[in-house]
């Protein structure tokens, strides 16, 4: 989980896609969230399934000034996340 990501300084952004970079054969749940202030509560999107054997990306629609990302998988599964890329658009100045 990572919170407080600033993708564009002093801007509101809309995250459109997330591209997980992982190893493992288990499905992950991916959530993207946003918050208005650095210490504010995160509003999370519903979990979206990511299958590394079949998927390259996860489509999302989350808008905010600060962005959060969460990856969860089955406790018994072996997997590792080495990073992720986000595709986003600037929606306005904050």
């Amino acid at each position: 989980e990572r919170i407080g990501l600033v993708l564009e300084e002093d801007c509101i952004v809309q995250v459109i896609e997330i591209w997980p970079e992982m190893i493992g054969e288990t499905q992950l749940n991916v959530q993207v969230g946003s918050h208005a202030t650095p210490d504010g509560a995160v509003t999370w999107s519903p979990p979206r399934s990511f299958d590394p054997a079949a998927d390259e990306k996860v489509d999302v629609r989350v808008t905010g000034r600060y962005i959060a990302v969460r990856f969860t998988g089955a406790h018994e599964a072996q997997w590792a996340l080495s990073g992720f890329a986000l595709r986003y658009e600037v929606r306005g100045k904050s």
Side-chain angles (χ1 to χ4, degrees):
E1 182 175 298
R2 177 76 195 270
I3 62 173
L5 297 171
V6 176
L7 303 180
E8 292 279 339
E9 199 67 41
D10 297 323
C11 289
I12 304 296
V13 298
Q14 182 178 56
V15 179
I16 299 167
E17 298 171 346
I18 185 164
W19 295 70
E21 298 170 12
M22 66 167 288
I23 55 173
E25 297 180 7
T26 188
Q27 289 189 4
L28 297 182
N29 283 322
V30 179
Q31 288 179 277
V32 179
S34 67
H35 43 122
T37 62
D39 298 328
V42 176
T43 301
W44 292 101
S45 67
R48 304 234 183 208
S49 179
F50 174 77
D51 180 353
D55 302 326
E56 292 183 320
K57 64 180 175 71
V58 177
D59 294 319
V60 296
R61 290 283 187 262
V62 172
T63 302
R65 182 169 184 208
Y66 297 94
I67 301 300
V69 181
R70 177 188 289 163
F71 299 91
T72 55
H75 293 290
E76 66 278 354
Q78 295 284 327
W79 61 278
L81 183 74
S82 60
F84 60 90
L86 296 172
R87 184 170 158 251
Y88 67 91
E89 296 176 353
V90 174
R91 291 296 184 197
K93 294 285 186 181
S94 58

